[in-house]
Amino acid sequence: MTTTPWWRGAVVYQVYPRSMMDANNDGIGDIPGIISKLDYIASLGVDAIWVSPFFKSPMKDFGYDISDYRDIDPIFGTLADFDELIAKAHARGIKIIIDQVLSHTSDQHAWFLESRESRDNPKSDWYVWVDPNPDGTPPNNWLSIFGGSAWEWEPRRCQYFLHNFLKSQPDVNFHCAAVRQQILDEVEFWLKRGVDGLRLDAINFCFHDKELRSNPVKPEDERKGRGFSLDNPYAFQKHIYDNTRPENIAFLESLRALMDRYPGTVTLGEISADDSLKTMAEYTAGNSRLHMAYSFELLVDKLSGSYIRETVETLEKNLSEGWPCWAIGNHDVRRFMSRWGGKEQSPQLAKTLNALLLSLRGSVCSYQGEELGLTEAEIAQHELQDPYGITFWPRFKGRDGCRTPMPWNHTETHAGFSQAQTWLPIPAAHKERAVSLQEDDKSSILNAYRTFMHWRKQQPCLRLGDIQFVAAAEDYLVFTRSFGNEKLLCAFNFSANVQTISLDGSYHLEKMEGHGCHSVVTQSNNLLVPGYATVISRVV
């Protein structure tokens, strides 16, 4: 394992800076707040922290609209604070991965302010500018994920500009060679500061079709929501021409060439495409593109062992030499305990879902609060911050419910996150799962997470091994993980009822200690798994 890159089989803990910890008591989390919680993060046993955007920004999309790639927004701190975060994380053996939003900027970025002024300035082609049709309408039918046309009129140039997200997030023109080089320079600024990797936001959105062809209609029975709801018109099209263009591959290869000059660094691409699993395989093929990719394919509303099996097997079949990264929650979707936990939302199920995620083949992204079993917060309409939710309310309530501040102390007014009114409310249900309550409870979700994580570090099967599915249904999933001469059988029961699972062949199972889950000694074609339980045993 010593020759294996650190990121293979790693667990990456996603920190949403606004909601981790507020050090200056303005109600918003910051980088000094993250620093103050590094000992807690280290206690989880994670390998790296992915820090969501902290760059200078008007915050129309909470940092995913960057106005300066090389500076920290004052609400989060300073460059000196960030340098301190890297140094102190590294001192604890934790890597730092930062978000890079390369496909678009804020409309307040200096590049855009210059580009929009005229058709002949030095940055006139740094964004996607298009003349209107003869009748004044936009050039095609492309839509924004956040609602409405992806084209916005700019009177200074008498042209439309492209925005796949908010109209305040204009798309950069990657067909321009100067733009591609400049973007690589922005990335290298952070590599020189010592970051260990990049999480690449919406990385398949960099290029658009030069011919500006309209997208075809997607039949209703083919529509699925991955990061957006089915009633969003965005789901009505096949997104062939507005993203995931073939030119993207060459750019990824140039980005990888840059990363290779900084040994030990890693790229993790977020893929949101019509066929995300195929794109993940394509973008990680060979040793010259992305190191890893993840998609929204497991961020679905319904928990199903059969679906998880089908999704993982499909990727495994196409992946060849690539490396997957899995997530069941992040800052863009409802928390998994609310999506998958039903009305009961059992703490035991939270333990099982975390163990499942940490047992899949590949690396893992674990979103802050998942180790506590946090549920989705109910945010009243007048408390909404997310422009996505404000636009689509009440059919879609946005992403605020998974972004609320971490509950540190159940006895304090703002749960120990801040002394001031918090930017989003902290629900009472979250205080009941605060770190202060779970810390000393040996049976808590938090301590089950820690126990499993520290045990996992010693298990080459789970970090690096192959995966073979044995049985699956709506309510359960069974697979083996194999590395060298060792094989583990992993079974997960998502229901409250005991499951007698028929295995594919007879397994001689031997107990394993230390993971905090059930383990059995048996030689049988059937496996008995208690309700909401995980069973992991050695196959001998």
Side-chain angles (χ1 to χ4, degrees), residues 172-186:
V172 177
N173 180 19
F174 270 77
H175 289 289
C176 172
V179 166
R180 297 195 299 273
Q181 184 56 54
Q182 187 65 49
I183 289 291
L184 293 175
D185 290 346
E186 304 304 312

Side-chain angles (χ1 to χ4, degrees), residues 121-136:
N121 67 75
K123 292 186 173 59
S124 60
D125 61 347
W126 279 39
Y127 291 81
V128 184
W129 297 103
V130 181
D131 289 331
N133 287 322
D135 62 358

Side-chain angles (χ1 to χ4, degrees), residues 303-306 472-477 492-495 497 499:
L303 172 60
S304 161
S306 298
E474 292 299 295
D475 292 339
Y476 62 79
L477 183 63
F492 307 90
N493 182 359
F494 309 133
S495 74
N497 305 315
Q499 296 276 1

Side-chain angles (χ1 to χ4, degrees), residues 410-445:
H410 68 289
T411 64
E412 297 186 26
T413 304
H414 301 297
F417 168 78
S418 178
Q419 299 301 310
Q421 185 65 42
T422 55
W423 76 284
L424 281 173
I426 302 173
H430 284 196
K431 284 190 176 184
E432 293 171 7
R433 291 192 174 176
V435 173
S436 59
L437 288 173
Q438 298 202 38
E439 192 75 60
D440 298 323
D441 178 1
K442 290 183 178 179
S443 66
S444 69
I445 301 167

Side-chain angles (χ1 to χ4, degrees), residues 324-355:
C325 185
W326 296 107
I328 58 175
N330 67 16
H331 63 289
D332 279 334
V333 295
R334 292 171 66 230
R335 288 204 174 264
F336 71 65
M337 280 305 292
S338 293
R339 298 194 331 267
W340 292 357
K343 292 182 179 179
E344 187 178 334
Q345 295 175 338
S346 163
Q348 292 305 121
L349 178 60
K351 297 175 188 178
T352 289
L353 293 176
N354 279 324

Side-chain angles (χ1 to χ4, degrees), residues 346-415:
S346 163
Q348 292 305 121
L349 178 60
K351 297 175 188 178
T352 289
L353 293 176
N354 279 324
L356 165 67
L357 176 64
L358 295 167
S359 298
L360 293 172
R361 189 184 92 90
S363 301
V364 169
C365 283
S366 181
Y367 180 46
Q368 66 181 43
E370 291 178 356
E371 76 277 15
L372 304 176
L374 294 188
T375 54
E376 184 79 355
E378 289 296 324
I379 308 295
Q381 186 175 9
H382 71 276
E383 296 172 317
L384 285 181
Q385 302 289 327
D386 183 14
Y388 205 173
I390 291 168
T391 299
F392 284 95
W393 179 278
R395 296 291 295 275
F396 175 64
K397 298 180 180 180
R399 302 161 296 180
D400 289 328
C402 66
R403 298 177 173 183
T404 54
M406 282 280 284
W408 297 104
N409 192 320
H410 68 289
T411 64
E412 297 186 26
T413 304
H414 301 297

Side-chain angles (χ1 to χ4, degrees), residues 22 25 37 55 78 98-99 129 195 204 217 223 269 275 277 286 317 329 347 351 400 452:
D22 174 19
N25 291 313
K37 294 301 180 183
F55 312 101
T78 64
I98 63 169
D99 240 311
W129 297 103
V195 302
N204 56 305
V217 174
R223 295 172 190 171
D275 191 342
L277 297 178
K317 184 174 67 176
K351 297 175 188 178
D400 289 328
F452 196 91

Side-chain angles (χ1 to χ4, degrees), residues 82-147:
F82 182 76
D83 292 340
E84 182 183 354
L85 172 63
I86 289 181
K88 290 188 172 177
H90 285 175
R92 291 164 172 80
I94 298 172
K95 309 286 189 181
I96 294 290
I97 295 172
I98 63 169
D99 240 311
Q100 290 282 271
V101 187
L102 306 183
S103 74
H104 56 271
T105 70
S106 164
D107 62 358
Q108 299 305 304
H109 197 293
W111 302 345
F112 185 75
L113 295 178
E114 182 176 350
S115 185
R116 75 179 182 181
E117 284 304 312
S118 68
R119 299 189 183 198
D120 57 3
N121 67 75
K123 292 186 173 59
S124 60
D125 61 347
W126 279 39
Y127 291 81
V128 184
W129 297 103
V130 181
D131 289 331
N133 287 322
D135 62 358
T137 56
N140 59 33
N141 69 350
W142 296 353
L143 296 171
S144 161
I145 290 178
F146 286 178

